[in-house]
């Protein structure tokens, strides 16, 4: 296997996928059989500057270059060879956000990420205009909010894109975007596989009085679907990616995609009646629909698969950050006692102990809101743990309450899909950090959604593997299959995993927990209002 992988790299047949997550940039190198053969990563964090969450352009490029350098180190260590040519490349990143550029290709304001919730006025007005739920984090919300705020930079915009679209543009020279990522900028039409012409026209009419030199079509990247070639690595792009100078230009690119799309691909969830849940720093569920919803819902985002099928998305800004903070507190206690620390062991013991607690957490409630949470109507957040004197306060119930909190908002959104719209799914696959401890996150999510939850052995590869697969789809789809057909036949055929069915007692307990949780949201609102 090692010698075969070495030959694949030497012959330029390896495929590279890079994904910019919220806390980590990850690169995965795969072979023509779509198996990972090397990887690299770079840890990073967003900054809150002038009230807005951002990553600097310098941090973006340093992170990309360091991530690639670590991948290169991994290749040299394992195979004693340099990466000089690649068959294909894919770039993915956290969806949505706002990156406007002027005629000189200079960014006009710092990158405004998906995490910002300052766009409530714009999102509400656009939702009413479009008769379509427009989330706070979408690019069109950021653009219109900047217009409402009278920000002068808007007049200078010549190009507006996402983080994935920006990196792709810089490496290829092509101003394009995958339809899944595009659907987080402004609604797309699954029939035409392009931005909704009706909504683009409505927006242009809405801002016509401003006298901008541009229309929306002038500044948006061209929308393309999975399987279409999206450009080639330029000489300048090769130098920017690999500062050592070994990588040569010429590799073909797949369309740049958002992390939601790569999650669907990595969990083989692009067919109708399938879905996936990504649970890490943030969480989101993606359910591929058989038909459109009966009406728009504020808690449901309509996006698409990378090949353009309609998807109902529930996006939650908060998931495991508060949970991880509590686990780190227990790690400090262990260190204080002079006990050797093994984080996997700490997580495993605390998570499994949580399953011994009461199914309703004994009345304990946790709000994991590091930032605002649009699904529950919170523009800002403050992490809170809430209990009354008569609740059953034990370690198991405490940890269980925090595990429930990590998917509580996700449950609130999906209850709309399953209970009101009667959406049916055959399979939901989980991936992300919540599922790292075997069985625990699955059981909690199964209780929350009252649905069987699968975790594949490959799910740990994550979105970087997902975008690498989309790049592989460009060069290895020799029989002209659909994306779903190719994934089934060439990637996941014979793949094994584990499935956990919902336990009726867990489901009843979670339902009781969520009712208390919703009644207690006023406590969270009061904490936010009085945080100073």
């Amino acid at each position: 296997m090692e010698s075969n992988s070495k030959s694949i790299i030497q012959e330029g047949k390896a495929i590279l996928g890079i994904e910019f997550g919220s806390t980590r940039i990850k690169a995965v190198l795969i072979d023509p059989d779509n198996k990972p053969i090397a990887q690299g990563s770079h840890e990073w964090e967003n900054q809150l500057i002038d009230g807005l969450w951002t990553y600097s352009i310098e941090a973006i490029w340093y992170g990309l270059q360091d991530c690639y350098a670590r991948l290169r180190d991994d290749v040299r260590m394992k195979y004693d060879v340099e990466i000089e040519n690649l068959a294909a490349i894919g770039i993915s990143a956290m969806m949505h956000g706002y990156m406007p550029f002027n005629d000189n290709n200079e960014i006009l304001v710092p990158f405004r990420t998906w995490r910002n919730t300052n766009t409530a006025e714009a999102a509400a007005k656009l939702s009413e205009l479009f008769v379509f739920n427009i989330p706070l984090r979408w690019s069109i919300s950021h653009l219109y909010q900047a217009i409402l705020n009278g920000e002068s930079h808007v007049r200078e915009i010549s190009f507006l894109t996402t983080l994935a679209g920006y990196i792709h543009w810089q490496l290829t020279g092509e101003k394009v975007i995958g339809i899944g990522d595009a659907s987080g900028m402004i609604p797309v039409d699954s029939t035409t596989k392009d931005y909704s012409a009706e909504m683009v026209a409505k927006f242009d009419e809405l801002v016509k009085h401003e006298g901008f030199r541009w229309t929306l079509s002038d500044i948006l990247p061209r929308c393309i679907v999975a399987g279409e070639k999206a450009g080639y690595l330029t000489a300048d792009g090769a130098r920017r990616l690999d500062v050592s100078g070994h990588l040569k230009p010429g590799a073909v690119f797949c369309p740049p995609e958002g992390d939601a799309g790569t999650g669907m691909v990595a969990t083989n969830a692009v067919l109708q009646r399938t879905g996936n849940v990504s649970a890490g720093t943030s969480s989101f569920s993606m359910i591929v629909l058989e038909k459109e919803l009966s009406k728009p819902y504020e808690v449901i985002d309509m996006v698409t698969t990378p090949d353009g099928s309609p998807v109902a998305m529930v996006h939650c800004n908060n998931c495991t950050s508060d949970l991880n903070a509590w686990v780190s507190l227990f790690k400090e206690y262990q260190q204080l006692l002079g006990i050797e620390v093994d984080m996997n062991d700490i997580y495993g013991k605390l998570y499994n102990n949580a399953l011994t607690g009461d199914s309703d957490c004994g009345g304990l409630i946790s709000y994991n809101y590091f930032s605002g949470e649009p699904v529950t109507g919170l523009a800002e957040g403050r992490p809170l743990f809430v209990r009354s004197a008569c609740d059953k306060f034990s370690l198991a119930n405490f940890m269980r309450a925090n595990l429930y909190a990590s998917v509580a908002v996700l449950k609130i959104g999906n209850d709309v899909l399953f209970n009101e719209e009667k959406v049916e799914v055959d399979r939901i696959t989980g991936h992300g950090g919540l599922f790292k401890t075997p069985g625990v996150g699955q059981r909690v999510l199964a209780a929350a959604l009252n649905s069987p939850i699968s975790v594949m052995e490959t799910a740990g590869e994550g979105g970087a593997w997902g975008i690498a697969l989309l790049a592989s789809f460009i060069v290895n789809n020799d029989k002209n299959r659909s994306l779903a057909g190719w994934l089934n036949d060439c990637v996941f055929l014979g793949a094994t995993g584990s499935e956990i069915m919902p336990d009726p007692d867990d489901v009843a307990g979670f339902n009781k927990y969520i009712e208390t949780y919703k009644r207690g949201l006023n406590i969270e609102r009061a904490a936010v209002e009085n945080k100073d």
Side-chain angles (χ1 to χ4, degrees):
M1 176 63 185
E2 180 178 325
S3 60
N4 187 43
S5 297
K6 181 174 181 177
S7 298
I8 286 166
I9 296 168
Q10 286 177 315
E11 294 167 13
K13 295 180 180 178
I15 298 149
L16 174 63
I18 299 176
E19 181 159 278
F20 287 73
S22 300
T23 58
R24 185 170 66 148
I25 304 169
K26 184 177 180 182
V28 170
L29 201 65
I30 66 173
D31 64 20
D33 293 323
N34 304 304
K35 302 294 190 296
I37 55 177
Q39 64 178 17
S41 66
H42 171 83
E43 305 293 325
W44 71 339
E45 286 288 348
N46 53 192
Q47 279 82 45
L48 186 63
I49 298 176
D50 296 328
L52 294 172
W53 293 103
T54 187
Y55 301 85
S56 69
I57 292 293
E58 293 77 17
I60 290 168
W61 285 104
Y62 175 75
L64 176 64
Q65 291 162 357
D66 183 58
C67 178
Y68 184 85
R70 291 173 185 268
L71 170 75
R72 181 171 159 260
D73 289 343
D74 192 39
V75 166
R76 287 187 297 168
M77 182 184 70
K78 287 178 176 174
Y79 312 113
D80 191 28
V81 66
E82 283 285 359
I83 306 171
E84 294 193 347
N85 292 285
L86 291 165
I89 302 175
I91 300 294
S92 174
M94 56 193 96
M95 289 179 71
H96 324 299
Y98 183 70
M99 296 190 81
F101 296 85
N102 63 17
D103 290 336
N104 296 321
N105 298 333
E106 299 164 333
I107 195 163
L108 291 167
V109 294
F111 169 37
R112 297 173 181 176
T113 78
W114 60 270
R115 197 171 188 178
N116 291 295
T117 54
N118 63 308
T119 57
E121 181 185 3
K125 289 183 176 180
L126 291 174
S127 295
E128 183 179 0
L129 176 69
F130 294 157
V131 195
F132 190 103
N133 178 45
I134 303 298
L136 305 183
R137 64 189 180 279
W138 281 19
S139 304
I140 197 69
S141 295
H142 284 282
L143 174 61
Y144 190 43
Q145 191 66 54
I147 293 170
L148 292 175
N149 293 345
E151 297 185 43
S152 60
H153 79 268
V154 176
R155 297 191 175 277
E156 300 179 53
I157 297 176
S158 65
F159 183 46
L160 176 64
T161 191
T162 64
L163 179 57
Y166 166 66
I167 298 294
H168 181 96
W169 167 42
Q170 294 296 298
L171 297 180
T172 67
E174 298 290 340
K175 295 180 176 180
V176 298
I177 192 170
I179 191 169
D181 206 14
S183 67
M185 296 192 78
I186 187 172
V188 299
D189 186 330
S190 289
T191 304
T192 64
K193 303 290 195 282
D194 203 350
Y195 302 108
S196 167
E198 177 188 0
M199 296 186 196
V200 167
K202 282 183 175 181
F203 184 84
D204 285 339
E205 184 64 27
L206 176 67
V207 301
K208 186 177 180 180
H209 68 281
E210 298 282 354
F212 297 132
R213 58 174 183 160
W214 49 262
T215 63
L216 203 51
S217 297
D218 295 332
I219 62 174
L220 290 176
R222 183 166 59 90
C223 181
I224 55 179
V225 299
E228 289 190 53
K229 293 179 180 178
Y232 297 85
L233 182 65
T234 64
D236 182 58
R239 286 190 295 269
R240 295 198 75 179
L241 179 58
D242 179 13
V243 295
S244 76
H246 286 88
L247 183 61
K248 294 179 173 61
V252 66
F253 275 69
C254 68
E257 266 298 348
D259 51 1
T262 59
M264 285 187 276
V265 171
T267 53
N268 194 21
V270 297
L271 272 176
Q272 292 179 356
R273 294 176 65 98
T274 65
N276 79 92
V277 169
S278 173
T281 305
S282 62
S283 69
F284 52 81
S285 62
M286 313 286 292
I287 306 296
V288 188
L289 300 177
E290 296 179 273
K291 61 181 180 180
E292 298 288 343
L293 300 180
S294 64
K295 62 181 181 179
Y297 294 90
E298 191 173 349
V299 297
I300 307 292
D301 306 345
M302 290 305 301
V303 293
T304 77
T305 62
D307 57 352
S309 296
V311 174
M313 178 182 190
V314 176
H315 184 281
C316 311
N317 283 359
N318 304 280
C319 185
T320 59
S321 293
D322 196 40
L323 187 57
N324 293 339
W326 284 113
V327 173
S328 293
L329 196 68
F330 288 110
K331 179 194 78 170
E332 286 188 42
Y333 175 70
Q334 194 164 321
Q335 289 173 323
L336 190 65
L337 295 180
I339 301 172
E340 185 177 344
V341 171
D342 181 322
M343 287 306 291
N344 288 332
D345 189 46
I346 294 175
Y347 272 102
K349 280 186 166 56
L350 289 172
Y351 277 29
N352 280 291
N353 186 56
L355 298 183
T356 69
D358 296 307
S359 64
D360 66 350
C361 308
L364 310 182
I365 297 291
S366 176
Y367 296 97
N368 61 341
Y369 295 6
F370 267 53
S371 63
E373 196 57 82
V375 172
T376 49
L378 274 296
E380 296 180 53
R382 167 161 279 202
L384 286 178
F385 176 74
V386 181
R387 69 184 178 105
S388 69
C390 58
D391 289 334
K392 298 177 184 177
F393 189 48
S394 67
L395 179 60
N397 281 341
F398 175 79
M399 286 306 302
R400 190 165 185 140
N402 281 286
L403 280 164
Y404 277 19
S406 66
V407 294
V409 179
L410 198 69
K411 173 179 173 58
I412 291 170
N414 277 279
D415 279 351
V416 173
L417 280 180
F418 299 140
N419 298 339
E420 297 184 33
E421 287 287 330
K422 309 302 181 186
V423 169
E424 296 183 354
V425 292
D426 298 325
R427 170 172 52 85
I428 296 178
T429 305
H431 64 112
L434 183 65
F435 306 103
K436 191 172 181 180
T437 300
V440 179
Q442 268 180 280
R443 181 170 157 183
V444 168
L445 186 61
L449 302 186
N450 193 19
S451 172
I453 304 296
S454 298
V455 172
M456 295 180 178
E457 290 179 357
T458 53
E461 302 295 345
W465 184 57
I467 192 65
L469 292 179
L470 288 172
S472 179
F473 184 54
I474 294 283
V475 294
N476 291 319
N477 185 22
D478 56 346
K479 295 184 179 179
N480 200 30
R481 299 174 176 89
S482 67
L483 177 60
W486 181 78
L487 289 172
N488 278 327
D489 295 345
C490 302
V491 180
F492 293 99
L493 190 65
T496 59
S498 63
E499 182 179 78
I500 288 182
M501 301 297 292
D503 178 274
D505 185 54
D506 287 348
V507 173
F510 207 123
N511 285 337
K512 186 176 179 181
Y513 173 92
I514 208 68
E515 290 307 313
T516 308
Y517 181 99
K518 287 189 284 191
R519 289 197 302 271
L521 280 169
N522 283 331
I523 306 170
E524 174 69 20
R525 292 189 183 96
V528 170
E529 291 167 4
N530 296 280
K531 65 178 181 175
D532 295 329

PDB file of all heavy atoms in Angstrom, residues 512-527:
ATOM      1  N   LYS A 512     -39.193  15.967  27.411  1.00  0.00           N
ATOM      2  CA  LYS A 512     -39.449  16.667  28.675  1.00  0.00           C
ATOM      3  C   LYS A 512     -38.385  17.750  28.889  1.00  0.00           C
ATOM      4  O   LYS A 512     -38.702  18.880  29.296  1.00  0.00           O
ATOM      5  CB  LYS A 512     -39.441  15.669  29.831  1.00  0.00           C
ATOM      6  CG  LYS A 512     -39.832  16.271  31.177  1.00  0.00           C
ATOM      7  CD  LYS A 512     -39.907  15.199  32.261  1.00  0.00           C
ATOM      8  CE  LYS A 512     -40.264  15.806  33.618  1.00  0.00           C
ATOM      9  NZ  LYS A 512     -40.303  14.770  34.684  1.00  0.00           N
ATOM     10  N   TYR A 513     -37.129  17.407  28.615  1.00  0.00           N
ATOM     11  CA  TYR A 513     -36.022  18.363  28.745  1.00  0.00           C
ATOM     12  C   TYR A 513     -36.259  19.576  27.846  1.00  0.00           C
ATOM     13  O   TYR A 513     -36.084  20.726  28.276  1.00  0.00           O
ATOM     14  CB  TYR A 513     -34.709  17.667  28.365  1.00  0.00           C
ATOM     15  CG  TYR A 513     -33.490  18.572  28.282  1.00  0.00           C
ATOM     16  CD1 TYR A 513     -32.664  18.762  29.388  1.00  0.00           C
ATOM     17  CD2 TYR A 513     -33.151  19.218  27.098  1.00  0.00           C
ATOM     18  CE1 TYR A 513     -31.537  19.578  29.315  1.00  0.00           C
ATOM     19  CE2 TYR A 513     -32.029  20.034  27.014  1.00  0.00           C
ATOM     20  CZ  TYR A 513     -31.231  20.209  28.118  1.00  0.00           C
ATOM     21  OH  TYR A 513     -30.115  21.007  28.036  1.00  0.00           O
ATOM     22  N   ILE A 514     -36.675  19.338  26.599  1.00  0.00           N
ATOM     23  CA  ILE A 514     -36.775  20.442  25.636  1.00  0.00           C
ATOM     24  C   ILE A 514     -37.921  21.382  25.998  1.00  0.00           C
ATOM     25  O   ILE A 514     -37.849  22.598  25.739  1.00  0.00           O
ATOM     26  CB  ILE A 514     -36.915  19.916  24.189  1.00  0.00           C
ATOM     27  CG1 ILE A 514     -36.340  20.948  23.201  1.00  0.00           C
ATOM     28  CG2 ILE A 514     -38.347  19.596  23.832  1.00  0.00           C
ATOM     29  CD1 ILE A 514     -34.865  21.134  23.258  1.00  0.00           C
ATOM     30  N   GLU A 515     -38.965  20.866  26.616  1.00  0.00           N
ATOM     31  CA  GLU A 515     -40.054  21.745  27.040  1.00  0.00           C
ATOM     32  C   GLU A 515     -39.582  22.676  28.155  1.00  0.00           C
ATOM     33  O   GLU A 515     -39.890  23.872  28.170  1.00  0.00           O
ATOM     34  CB  GLU A 515     -41.260  20.922  27.486  1.00  0.00           C
ATOM     35  CG  GLU A 515     -41.968  20.210  26.348  1.00  0.00           C
ATOM     36  CD  GLU A 515     -42.342  21.151  25.206  1.00  0.00           C
ATOM     37  OE1 GLU A 515     -42.896  22.242  25.495  1.00  0.00           O
ATOM     38  OE2 GLU A 515     -42.067  20.816  24.034  1.00  0.00           O
ATOM     39  N   THR A 516     -38.829  22.130  29.112  1.00  0.00           N
ATOM     40  CA  THR A 516     -38.249  22.968  30.171  1.00  0.00           C
ATOM     41  C   THR A 516     -37.257  23.957  29.573  1.00  0.00           C
ATOM     42  O   THR A 516     -37.203  25.127  29.972  1.00  0.00           O
ATOM     43  CB  THR A 516     -37.545  22.087  31.218  1.00  0.00           C
ATOM     44  OG1 THR A 516     -38.448  21.082  31.662  1.00  0.00           O
ATOM     45  CG2 THR A 516     -37.085  22.913  32.408  1.00  0.00           C
ATOM     46  N   TYR A 517     -36.468  23.480  28.608  1.00  0.00           N
ATOM     47  CA  TYR A 517     -35.470  24.308  27.920  1.00  0.00           C
ATOM     48  C   TYR A 517     -36.136  25.522  27.265  1.00  0.00           C
ATOM     49  O   TYR A 517     -35.670  26.659  27.405  1.00  0.00           O
ATOM     50  CB  TYR A 517     -34.767  23.440  26.877  1.00  0.00           C
ATOM     51  CG  TYR A 517     -33.674  24.089  26.063  1.00  0.00           C
ATOM     52  CD1 TYR A 517     -32.340  23.909  26.407  1.00  0.00           C
ATOM     53  CD2 TYR A 517     -33.969  24.843  24.921  1.00  0.00           C
ATOM     54  CE1 TYR A 517     -31.324  24.467  25.636  1.00  0.00           C
ATOM     55  CE2 TYR A 517     -32.968  25.401  24.154  1.00  0.00           C
ATOM     56  CZ  TYR A 517     -31.647  25.217  24.513  1.00  0.00           C
ATOM     57  OH  TYR A 517     -30.651  25.772  23.752  1.00  0.00           O
ATOM     58  N   LYS A 518     -37.230  25.282  26.560  1.00  0.00           N
ATOM     59  CA  LYS A 518     -37.907  26.384  25.853  1.00  0.00           C
ATOM     60  C   LYS A 518     -38.527  27.369  26.846  1.00  0.00           C
ATOM     61  O   LYS A 518     -38.478  28.588  26.623  1.00  0.00           O
ATOM     62  CB  LYS A 518     -38.966  25.818  24.899  1.00  0.00           C
ATOM     63  CG  LYS A 518     -38.356  25.149  23.669  1.00  0.00           C
ATOM     64  CD  LYS A 518     -39.381  24.782  22.613  1.00  0.00           C
ATOM     65  CE  LYS A 518     -40.169  23.572  22.964  1.00  0.00           C
ATOM     66  NZ  LYS A 518     -40.987  23.066  21.821  1.00  0.00           N
ATOM     67  N   ARG A 519     -39.077  26.862  27.940  1.00  0.00           N
ATOM     68  CA  ARG A 519     -39.638  27.771  28.950  1.00  0.00           C
ATOM     69  C   ARG A 519     -38.543  28.610  29.602  1.00  0.00           C
ATOM     70  O   ARG A 519     -38.778  29.760  29.984  1.00  0.00           O
ATOM     71  CB  ARG A 519     -40.395  26.974  30.023  1.00  0.00           C
ATOM     72  CG  ARG A 519     -41.686  26.357  29.563  1.00  0.00           C
ATOM     73  CD  ARG A 519     -42.557  25.951  30.742  1.00  0.00           C
ATOM     74  NE  ARG A 519     -41.890  25.013  31.631  1.00  0.00           N
ATOM     75  CZ  ARG A 519     -41.918  23.690  31.494  1.00  0.00           C
ATOM     76  NH1 ARG A 519     -42.571  23.150  30.478  1.00  0.00           N
ATOM     77  NH2 ARG A 519     -41.292  22.924  32.368  1.00  0.00           N
ATOM     78  N   GLY A 520     -37.344  28.052  29.709  1.00  0.00           N
ATOM     79  CA  GLY A 520     -36.250  28.762  30.364  1.00  0.00           C
ATOM     80  C   GLY A 520     -35.481  29.721  29.471  1.00  0.00           C
ATOM     81  O   GLY A 520     -34.541  30.377  29.938  1.00  0.00           O
ATOM     82  N   LEU A 521     -35.876  29.836  28.206  1.00  0.00           N
ATOM     83  CA  LEU A 521     -35.146  30.740  27.300  1.00  0.00           C
ATOM     84  C   LEU A 521     -35.197  32.191  27.774  1.00  0.00           C
ATOM     85  O   LEU A 521     -34.309  32.983  27.453  1.00  0.00           O
ATOM     86  CB  LEU A 521     -35.712  30.625  25.874  1.00  0.00           C
ATOM     87  CG  LEU A 521     -35.222  29.408  25.076  1.00  0.00           C
ATOM     88  CD1 LEU A 521     -36.037  29.251  23.800  1.00  0.00           C
ATOM     89  CD2 LEU A 521     -33.735  29.539  24.747  1.00  0.00           C
ATOM     90  N   ASN A 522     -36.223  32.534  28.539  1.00  0.00           N
ATOM     91  CA  ASN A 522     -36.280  33.899  29.075  1.00  0.00           C
ATOM     92  C   ASN A 522     -35.126  34.171  30.044  1.00  0.00           C
ATOM     93  O   ASN A 522     -34.704  35.319  30.207  1.00  0.00           O
ATOM     94  CB  ASN A 522     -37.622  34.138  29.780  1.00  0.00           C
ATOM     95  CG  ASN A 522     -38.754  34.364  28.792  1.00  0.00           C
ATOM     96  OD1 ASN A 522     -38.526  34.862  27.681  1.00  0.00           O
ATOM     97  ND2 ASN A 522     -39.966  33.985  29.163  1.00  0.00           N
ATOM     98  N   ILE A 523     -34.628  33.118  30.697  1.00  0.00           N
ATOM     99  CA  ILE A 523     -33.455  33.280  31.575  1.00  0.00           C
ATOM    100  C   ILE A 523     -32.243  33.658  30.729  1.00  0.00           C
ATOM    101  O   ILE A 523     -31.473  34.557  31.088  1.00  0.00           O
ATOM    102  CB  ILE A 523     -33.175  31.976  32.356  1.00  0.00           C
ATOM    103  CG1 ILE A 523     -34.417  31.515  33.115  1.00  0.00           C
ATOM    104  CG2 ILE A 523     -31.993  32.149  33.294  1.00  0.00           C
ATOM    105  CD1 ILE A 523     -34.294  30.112  33.702  1.00  0.00           C
ATOM    106  N   GLU A 524     -32.074  32.975  29.592  1.00  0.00           N
ATOM    107  CA  GLU A 524     -30.969  33.284  28.678  1.00  0.00           C
ATOM    108  C   GLU A 524     -31.107  34.707  28.138  1.00  0.00           C
ATOM    109  O   GLU A 524     -30.128  35.457  28.077  1.00  0.00           O
ATOM    110  CB  GLU A 524     -30.948  32.271  27.527  1.00  0.00           C
ATOM    111  CG  GLU A 524     -29.929  32.561  26.432  1.00  0.00           C
ATOM    112  CD  GLU A 524     -28.495  32.372  26.873  1.00  0.00           C
ATOM    113  OE1 GLU A 524     -28.254  31.678  27.877  1.00  0.00           O
ATOM    114  OE2 GLU A 524     -27.602  32.942  26.212  1.00  0.00           O
ATOM    115  N   ARG A 525     -32.321  35.093  27.771  1.00  0.00           N
ATOM    116  CA  ARG A 525     -32.536  36.455  27.250  1.00  0.00           C
ATOM    117  C   ARG A 525     -32.181  37.499  28.310  1.00  0.00           C
ATOM    118  O   ARG A 525     -31.558  38.518  28.013  1.00  0.00           O
ATOM    119  CB  ARG A 525     -33.985  36.625  26.809  1.00  0.00           C
ATOM    120  CG  ARG A 525     -34.354  35.806  25.590  1.00  0.00           C
ATOM    121  CD  ARG A 525     -35.732  36.171  25.039  1.00  0.00           C
ATOM    122  NE  ARG A 525     -36.057  35.312  23.920  1.00  0.00           N
ATOM    123  CZ  ARG A 525     -36.787  34.197  24.008  1.00  0.00           C
ATOM    124  NH1 ARG A 525     -37.288  33.836  25.186  1.00  0.00           N
ATOM    125  NH2 ARG A 525     -37.025  33.458  22.945  1.00  0.00           N
ATOM    126  N   ALA A 526     -32.564  37.241  29.548  1.00  0.00           N
ATOM    127  CA  ALA A 526     -32.259  38.177  30.627  1.00  0.00           C
ATOM    128  C   ALA A 526     -30.755  38.276  30.851  1.00  0.00           C
ATOM    129  O   ALA A 526     -30.223  39.363  31.109  1.00  0.00           O
ATOM    130  CB  ALA A 526     -32.958  37.731  31.916  1.00  0.00           C
ATOM    131  N   ALA A 527     -30.060  37.147  30.738  1.00  0.00           N
ATOM    132  CA  ALA A 527     -28.605  37.158  30.908  1.00  0.00           C
ATOM    133  C   ALA A 527     -27.931  37.980  29.828  1.00  0.00           C
ATOM    134  O   ALA A 527     -26.976  38.723  30.084  1.00  0.00           O
ATOM    135  CB  ALA A 527     -28.073  35.722  30.901  1.00  0.00           C
TER     136      ALA A 527
END
